[in-house]
Amino acid sequence: DMEACMNKYSLRIWGGSAKPSKTITFEGEDAHEAFSIMERKKLSGPAELYDGQRSLGTIAQTQEGAWILESRQDAGSSHSERQA
């Protein structure tokens, strides 16, 4: 059953001082769907990407027009242990 591999994601687009932030929720097999949504809606970001309640990081567009997902991994998580 195809439904099983659909996850619920949400994109929180930050507004500037003039406009409020808004949230777009979508379902997809993986978070890459977020990029095409930003593209379609002509949003340049930055936007916070959530997998359910968990933040996956921030989506932003580079000056060249490429999309990048900046992961929050190194924010106080145990993954960032440096080998001396």
Side-chain angles (χ1 to χ4, degrees):
D1 141 7
M2 290 295 289
E3 295 296 302
C5 56
M6 291 302 233
N7 297 318
K8 275 200 193 313
Y9 296 100
S10 50
L11 266 177
R12 178 106 191 258
I13 291 100
W14 300 318
S17 45
K19 50 184 206 247
S21 62
K22 66 175 179 181
T23 303
I24 298 170
T25 51
F26 65 94
E27 289 186 10
E29 286 173 44
D30 63 39
H32 279 101
E33 189 66 29
F35 296 112
S36 34
I37 289 174
M38 300 279 287
E39 193 84 359
R40 277 202 305 277
K41 293 184 179 288
K42 308 263 191 292
L43 302 163
S44 53
E48 184 106 18
L49 179 60
Y50 290 93
D51 176 357
Q53 295 300 306
R54 192 169 60 96
S55 170
L56 297 178
T58 304
I59 292 181
Q61 198 172 22
T62 65
Q63 259 134 16
E64 294 76 44
W67 292 100
I68 48 171
L69 177 61
E70 293 174 14
S71 172
R72 282 278 190 73
Q73 220 83 76
D74 30 49
S77 82
S78 52
H79 296 298
S80 52
E81 292 165 34
R82 302 272 182 274
Q83 294 298 319

